[in-house]
Amino acid sequence: MKNASSLEQRLRSHLTGDVFFDAFNRGRYATDASFYQIMPEGVVVPRTMDEALQALAIVRDDGRIVTPRGGGTSQCGQTVNDGIVVDLSKHLNRIISLDVANRSCIVEPGIVLDDLNRQLRKHGLWFPVDVSTASRATIGGMAGNNSCGGRSLRYGTMRDNTLSMDAALADGTLLHFGEVPRDLAQVNSPEGGLKLFRDMLDLGKREAAEISDKFPKVQRRVGGYNLDALVPRNAPNNLAHLLVGSEGTLAFTTQVELKLWPVIRNKALGVCHFGSFYEAMDAAQHLVKLRPIAVELVDRTMIALGREIAMFQPIISAAVRGDPDAILVVEFAEEDQADNLARLKQLGELMADLGFGWDQPQRKWGGVVEIVEPALQTGIADFRAAGLNVMMSMKQEGKPVSFVEDCAVPLPHLADYTERLDAIFAKHGTRGTMYAHASEGCLHVRPVLNLKLEKDVKAMRAIAEETFEMVREYKGSHSGEHGDGLMRSEFHEAMFGARIVADFREVKAHFDPGNTLNPGKIVDPPKMDDRSLFRFSPDYRVGELKTVLDWSAYPGGGGGFQGAVEMCNNNGACRKLEGGVMCPSYRATRNEKDVTRGRANTLRLAISGQLGPDALASDEMMETLKLCVSCKACRHECPTGVDMAKMKIEVLAARATRHGLSLRDRLVGYLPRYLDLASRFAPIANWRNNSPLLRSLFETFVGISAKRTLPAFRRDTFRSDAAVFGPPDDREVVLFADTFNRGYERENLDAALEVLIAGGYRVHLPRPSDSTRPLCCGRTFLSAGLVDQARAELDRLVATYAPFAARGVPIVGLEPSCLLTLRDELLSLRSDPNAKQVSAQALLFEEFLVREAEAGRLSLPLGAVAAKAMVHGHCHQKSFGAFRPVEKVLRLVPDLDVETVESSCCGMAGAFGYGAETYQASIDMAELSLLPAIRRADPATLIVADGTSCRHQIKDGCGRTPLHVARVLAMSLNCAKSGSNNLSPAKE
C-alpha cells in the first residue's frame, strides 16, 4: 500500500473539493452521535458527484476503504471508520428533478431533509419521514439507516418512501436500483448489474421461508439487510429497498428518487397525561385506534430536564398540567380540521373510558390537554424532536447511553416490556430515560452510564444481552429506527439466526467482494463493547489544565472545563440551516470545522492530548475558532448547552499567555483605556478612514480590512456633568453608559436618558470611586483573551453599582453585548454576593421598559413616527431570551407596524467583521438573510437594531442607518410633544 502522503497528493491533484489529512480535520470526522471514535486516514469533500466517484476510484486503487457520510448524526457508529471519509453534505445537496403531478423527486444524497421540505413546500408537497434530526439529517444518511420518524404510523419508513436509487458499486460500476420483474425482462443494466440482480432475486427465492420465519413482524425493523425485499411474494421487487438500511456497505449512492406527500394543513394535538408510566404504555395500544398520525412519549425525566432549559420552559408551562409520570402527545392531521377536533374530543372520551381522570388516584390520574394553537404545536414538536439532546443535558459524568436505544415490540407488550426493562436497569445499578414513538412500540430508551468506567461498560454489555433476549421473546426487533452500525451488528445472529447472517455475508460478498465500503457494519462487526473504539477509550485522560473562568457546574479537569466540552454529544443541532441563530459561521461555509460540534470535538481532542502537546494554544486551534463570532447562540439553542463563546475565551487566554498579543488584539482589547484620549484627537485618529494608503497599511500591519470603515472617533463623547437626573421622589434606575455608545453613538444614551426621565424615573449615572476613567464591562478584553484585565474592569463596575443593586435599583444598559456580560461572564469571574446582586439587576433598556409597562408603572406620551419598522435582533439578545421585549416596546409607538427580520448573526460581531481574514465570512453571514431583507425594505421604513456591530454591518452593507430602539422612542416622544406625526424616514 502506498503511504498516506501519496494518496493525499493523488486526491488533491484530481479533485477541486477539500482533501484533509491533518490531525485536526480528521479528528472532526472521527465521531458521530454514538459513543464511538475511530480516526479516519483522510477526509474528502467533493464538489460534484463525478469528483466523489473519482475519489472512490483513487481510494480503491490505493487499497483503502471508503465511508460515505452525510450529517454525521448516526447513533450507532455507522459513519466512523479508519479509511477515507467522503462528506457529501457540503456540495452534493441539490434537487435534481421534481415531478409535482406524480409526487416524486430525485435528489442528491447530501441534501438535508428540512432543506428539501422547504423547497417542496411551495408546491404543496413534503417528504414525511420526519426524523428528529431533520435540520441536519441528509437523505443519503436516512436511506443508509432506513430512518423512520415520528409519523411512520401514517407514512411508513424511509424504505416505504424510496422509489429508486442510483449507486456505484465498489468497483465503480454505476447501476440503477428500482422495481424489476423477477425475470428481469427489459431491465436496462450492464451485464454485471443483471447478474447481481439475478443473484439477489435467487437468494430471495431460496431463503423466502427462512426470511418469513426469522424477520420480526413489526414495521420498525431496520436491522440487517432488507432480504424480504427480494422474496417472490413482493414481486415486482424493488432492489432499491435492499440498499435502504445497508449503511453504506453495499454501494455508494449517487441519487435517490423519493415518494412525496401533500403537506399537512391542519393539526390538533391531545397531550394525554398519566400518573403512571405503566398505564401510559398500556394505553398506547388503545389510543392508536383513533387513527392518529403519531403518538409520542415524553417521560418524567425529560419533562424535568426541559423545565431547566430556557427555550422549552414556556412550552412545558402551557402544555403540561401538574406532575405527570408520562405524557403521550397524540397528533391528528386530517385534511378537515373539524375531523381533527372531533377526534380530539373522542380522545378525551377514550381516556375517560379507560378510567383516567384529573380527580383519580395516582395510577389512574390523568386527562387530555387540547392543543390547537399552531405556534404551541410547533413548540411541542420541537421539544419532542430535541428529546435526545434534552436527555443528554445532564451535567454529570454519567449520561443516557444509546445501545438498546430503539428496540421495537408489538404494542400489546409495550407496558410489560418497559416495566421489565426498568427492572433490568435497576439490577445493574442504573436507571433509564424513555421517550419517542409509543404509537409503534419503539421507545428511545437510554440507561444512565459512565462509559469511562470499566464496570459501567460491563453493565452496558449485560443490559444489552438481557434486553435483546426479552425483545426476541416478544417477537420484536432489536433495531427499530437507528440501524446497526458498530452497536448492534454483532447481535444479528441471536436475532435472525445463523442462516440469515450467512445470507447477509453473501449479499455483502456479491456487492463488495473486496470489503471496501464501510466494513465492520452489519457483516463481520467488532464487539459492541470494544473500548478501543470508544470516544472515551481506556487511556483517555485530560491532564492538568489551568482555566480562567468558572466551570464548576461541570465535572472533570480544568475545574469542570473538561465536562463542559464533553457535553457535546455530536447530535449536530448546530448544523441547522434556518431558524434561530446557531451556527452562523457554518451556515456561511458548510464546513465541519466551522460548526459548534466541530469546534467542541477539536477542543476535546486537544485537552485530552490526542492532537499533540500545546494543542489548545496552537495555530490550528485558532484556525478552528477563527470564524466563531461568539454569538452565544449555542448557549441558548444547543439543547445540551455547549457554550462555545465562553470556551473560546479559554482558548484566547491560553494563546495570549503562550504567544502574547497581536497589534490588532491590543487595539481591540484596550479600546476602553484609550478611547477618551483618541476622542480628543478625533480628526487625527480618523485619518485612516479617509486615506487609501493608511487603509492598506492597516490591513498589512494590523490585519484590519481595507474594505471596512472603522467607527469614527468623536470629540463630543457622552460625558455627564451630573450623577443623577430626575425628581428625587421618582423610581430609581441606573443607566450604564457602555464604551461603544459613550464613545461613538452618544445619541443613543441621550435618547435613553430622555425616555427614562419622561417615563418618571430618577436616573443615576454613578462614577467609579477612582474617577480615572468611565466604567466598562470588560467585553473587549475578553474578546482578546485578556481575562485579568476584564476582571479588573468588572471589579470597578461591581464596586460602583453594588450599593444600588443591594437596594434593588435596576441597572439598565443599551448595548446587548455589554449589558449581558453582567448576566453571563461576570458570574464566571466572580461568585460573591455583590456580583450576583449586580447581575440580577442588569436589564436591557427595552427589557426594563416592558417590565415597567406590564406592571402598569410606565407612562410615556408617544406619537407616531413611521408606518413600519424592521427589527434585527442582536445575537446576545436572542441567546438570553431578551429580544421579544424589543418588539413589545416598539409596539407601544402608535400606528407602528413592527416586522422582525428572520436572521442569524449579522456577521460583524464586534471586531470580527473588521478582520482582513474574516471580512468575507462576515459579509457572507450578513448576505444569508439580513442584508437582502433590509434592501427590500421601503425607504420610509425604520430599520431598528440595538447592537452597535449590527448597525455598522447594515450601514456598510446597505447604506441604511439603523436606529437603537431608544432613539425611536425619543423620536416618538418628541412627535407627541410637538403634536405632529412624523411619518417620514429618519435622517441618515
Side-chain angles (χ1 to χ4, degrees), residues 717-733:
T717 58
F718 182 84
R719 294 183 180 90
S720 172
D721 294 329
V724 61
F725 295 85
D729 295 332
D730 282 358
R731 293 181 298 276
E732 294 180 292
V733 63

Side-chain angles (χ1 to χ4, degrees), residues 954-975:
I954 293 169
K955 175 70 173 178
D956 285 357
C958 299
R960 299 290 299 270
T961 300
L963 302 173
H964 190 284
V965 68
R967 290 189 63 192
V968 177
L969 292 179
M971 290 162 53
S972 182
L973 277 174
N974 292 329
C975 287

Side-chain angles (χ1 to χ4, degrees), residues 31-38 72-80 145 222-223 247 388 402-407 446 468 478-490 518 520-522 525-528 533 535 569 571:
T31 50
D32 55 13
S34 71
F35 56 73
Y36 294 106
Q37 175 177 302
I38 302 177
T73 60
S74 299
Q75 296 291 315
C76 303
Q78 287 95 324
T79 62
V80 294
N145 286 350
V222 302
E247 301 183 353
L388 169 63
S402 168
F403 61 99
V404 289
E405 164 80 0
D406 55 336
C407 300
R446 294 189 166 209
F468 294 156
H478 70 325
S479 185
E481 179 169 17
H482 292 155
D484 301 322
L486 298 168
M487 184 81 64
R488 283 190 279 263
S489 295
E490 74 156 292
N518 205 22
K521 321 294 163 41
I522 301 179
K527 292 291 186 181
M528 61 91 76
L533 303 178
R535 190 182 306 180
N569 62 31
N571 198 253

